[in-house]
Amino acid sequence: MGVRSICANLHDWLSFATFTMNPTPAVNSRPKGAQAFDETIWEDSQALGSQLQVLRERLFPPEAKKELRSFSTAETAKLIGVTESYIRNLATDEAGPIPEKAHTGRRRYTLEQVHALRQHLTKGKTSYLPWRRDGEHLQVIAVTNFKGGSGKTTTATHLAQYLALHGHRVLAVDLDPQASMSALFGYQPEFDVADNQTLYGAIRYDEERRPLAEIVRKTYFAGLDLVPGNLELHEFEHDTPRILSSGEHDDDGLFFMRVAKALYSVADDYDVVVIDCPPQLGFLTMSALCAASAVLITVHPQMLDVASMNQFLAMTSQLLAVVRDNGGNLDYDWMRYLVTRHEPNDGPQNQIVAFLRNLFGERVLTPMMVKSTAISDAGLSKQTVYEAPRESMHRQTYDRALESMDAVNGDIEKLILQAWGRAAK
């Protein structure tokens, strides 16, 4: 059932209700000739969508594909964990991958070549290829918060890219109907993602359900695949109450089992799944939390945001207790709070951070994601800090943002390795 079908059902229901109820005089009706709100916002959505498409085609023409920049020898050495001289020696090794020289004579490496170097180095060791080993379970990280604007999508996207850059096989899942993560990966949700091409296609309750493997898309990030999102995801929120009230069940189980079953159908292809959850506590979020092996809660250090998070935690606890009593899995390897959009010179923010650390202890990640114009500047061209070249912005600003991102994601990678029983790098 598409969005149009939901609208049709709503129209039928309201038509029936209007027919069976006594007519009620309109209150505060708009002036004669004024445009209705639904008509205004429809026109605005069409105008905005058209201009976004124009901007997108200007940045990425129809015949062009979004590509990841190449990496210098120094960057490549840092990603793999070896010295620059070692990389230079490998570049001349006939048995290893040899990249083409740039016009400047300096070697540049694509991410595919970085991964190939890892494979080459792993012939005698395993430390350069961090893939899951036998007995190590798939890590499913749900990045969540009840309130929008907490940096959730920025966090999830940068985490997925960091893990891919460091050799993990990653699946990013955009579970937010607003689909900002999909847009960052070059998929405009209203143009590039059709019906049944989101996770909804793999967890829906009817005969149109399809395998998740058919929905997964490759990205320009080697080792990083995507399950895109769009407004279709809302349909799960509409379908689930109907199914629960009817008592209907199928082989994929109750709503909170369906995301996990879909993800584990492709588990052999990945080490880590990163889920960008919707900014509300609905059936999609609860399903993601039941599929997760770890949870990352983003926190903007402002009092109103912390108060909102308090409501989110209370509601989540009450709802998930019911789910757990009915067989939902809520055993996590780890749960952490991540302070986002932090301004180090903001005194009140620092007081709130200290308050959270005193209250939650080690569950608050030590590194914090700083508020940076580098992230905003990269976002203008639908890029992340990991994609944008250093020379495209002020170097100190770029380095500060990159250092912050690396520190946060490095700590999360350590938690992943600890969950697998490995020593942190």
Side-chain angles (χ1 to χ4, degrees):
M1 182 173 66
V3 174
R4 285 191 293 269
S5 299
I6 294 174
C7 293
N9 289 343
L10 179 61
H11 181 272
D12 292 343
W13 184 87
L14 289 175
S15 298
F16 174 76
T18 303
F19 177 77
T20 56
M21 293 169 59
N22 292 326
T24 304
V27 179
N28 294 329
S29 59
R30 67 182 186 274
K32 188 175 181 179
Q35 189 175 42
F37 178 63
D38 62 293
E39 296 169 342
T40 301
I41 61 175
W42 169 255
E43 291 179 2
D44 288 351
S45 74
Q46 296 304 294
L48 181 58
S50 175
Q51 289 304 306
L52 287 173
Q53 180 70 351
V54 170
L55 178 61
R56 177 201 182 197
E57 290 176 358
R58 188 179 302 160
L59 291 171
F60 307 106
E63 68 277 4
K65 287 186 177 180
K66 192 176 180 188
E67 295 181 350
L68 179 62
R69 67 180 180 88
S70 59
F71 299 89
S72 68
T73 299
E75 289 174 314
T76 300
K78 183 178 179 182
L79 285 173
I80 297 176
V82 295
T83 64
E84 288 185 51
S85 59
Y86 193 18
I87 293 296
R88 291 192 184 95
N89 290 336
L90 284 174
T92 60
D93 184 354
E94 293 183 0
I98 303 175
E100 295 180 0
K101 285 188 177 181
H103 294 302
T104 60
R106 296 180 180 178
R107 295 188 184 276
R108 304 287 299 184
Y109 297 79
T110 65
L111 187 54
E112 289 88 347
Q113 289 169 331
V114 174
H115 291 334
L117 285 170
R118 284 193 176 98
Q119 293 272 12
H120 180 73
L121 289 170
T122 302
K123 290 180 179 178
K125 299 182 178 180
T126 58
S127 58
Y128 296 108
L129 199 61
W131 291 3
R132 272 195 306 139
R133 303 166 189 166
D134 290 342
E136 295 177 345
H137 59 279
L138 179 70
Q139 279 284 295
V140 180
I141 304 173
V143 182
T144 186
N145 192 304
F146 186 64
K147 194 174 186 298
S150 66
K152 179 177 57 60
T153 297
T154 300
T155 297
T157 305
H158 281 85
L159 173 60
Q161 291 183 350
Y162 174 94
L163 293 172
L165 286 169
H166 288 78
H168 297 277
R169 299 169 300 168
V170 183
L171 177 64
V173 178
D174 193 348
L175 209 55
D176 187 344
Q178 298 176 67
S180 297
M181 173 186 270
S182 301
L184 279 171
F185 280 109
Y187 292 103
Q188 195 65 27
E190 62 267 40
F191 299 114
D192 301 323
V193 186
D195 288 349
N196 236 25
Q197 292 184 354
T198 70
L199 186 66
Y200 175 72
I203 62 175
R204 60 192 301 162
Y205 297 96
D206 58 23
E207 66 281 356
E208 293 186 43
R209 186 170 67 252
R210 57 194 298 222
L212 182 60
E214 296 179 3
I215 299 171
V216 171
R217 301 193 187 192
K218 297 292 182 183
T219 73
Y220 53 91
F221 246 84
L224 173 54
D225 294 344
L226 174 71
V227 177
N230 67 10
L231 290 174
E232 178 186 59
L233 289 163
H234 275 304
E235 300 190 20
F236 190 69
E237 306 289 353
H238 295 280
D239 292 348
T240 300
R242 175 178 55 79
I243 294 296
L244 289 174
S245 62
S246 69
E248 298 175 17
H249 301 298
D250 58 22
D251 292 340
D252 281 1
L254 294 171
F255 75 90
F256 54 81
M257 304 174 182
R258 304 176 84 83
V259 171
K261 186 166 184 178
L263 293 179
Y264 278 90
S265 70
V266 296
D268 290 345
D269 298 326
Y270 303 102
D271 307 308
V272 184
V273 177
V274 179
I275 306 177
D276 184 18
C277 293
Q280 68 266 347
L281 188 57
F283 294 110
L284 282 171
T285 298
M286 286 191 287
S287 299
L289 291 173
C290 289
S293 61
V295 175
L296 186 64
I297 300 175
T298 55
V299 185
H300 182 216
Q302 297 281 2
M303 187 51 67
L304 288 178
D305 293 80
V306 172
S308 174
M309 185 183 74
N310 178 46
Q311 296 300 309
F312 168 72
L313 295 176
M315 290 176 61
T316 303
S317 173
Q318 294 169 17
L319 290 171
L320 290 183
V322 176
V323 170
R324 178 169 49 81
D325 290 342
N326 285 274
N329 176 40
L330 297 174
D331 295 328
Y332 298 142
D333 294 324
W334 51 269
M335 186 272 279
R336 291 292 185 273
Y337 298 98
L338 168 64
V339 176
T340 60
R341 297 170 56 202
H342 179 242
E343 300 178 65
N345 296 324
D346 188 318
Q349 278 200 13
N350 290 330
Q351 290 179 2
I352 291 175
V353 171
F355 167 74
L356 292 172
R357 292 196 190 284
N358 183 61
L359 196 62
F360 299 134
E362 68 173 9
R363 290 204 302 278
V364 180
L365 278 177
T366 300
M368 295 177 284
M369 187 181 295
V370 298
K371 183 177 181 180
S372 173
T373 57
I375 298 172
S376 303
D377 289 347
L380 287 174
S381 57
K382 293 185 178 179
Q383 291 183 310
T384 67
V385 171
Y386 291 130
E387 298 175 73
R390 189 167 182 254
E391 60 273 13
S392 66
M393 58 189 74
H394 191 279
R395 289 199 169 193
Q396 286 185 334
T397 303
Y398 176 87
D399 289 345
R400 179 168 166 263
L402 187 62
E403 182 181 353
S404 168
M405 286 293 182
D406 282 348
V408 167
N409 294 323
D411 266 26
I412 295 172
E413 185 182 24
K414 289 177 184 177
L415 291 171
I416 293 171
L417 295 176
Q418 288 170 8
W420 287 337
R422 300 190 207 175
K425 293 190 289 184

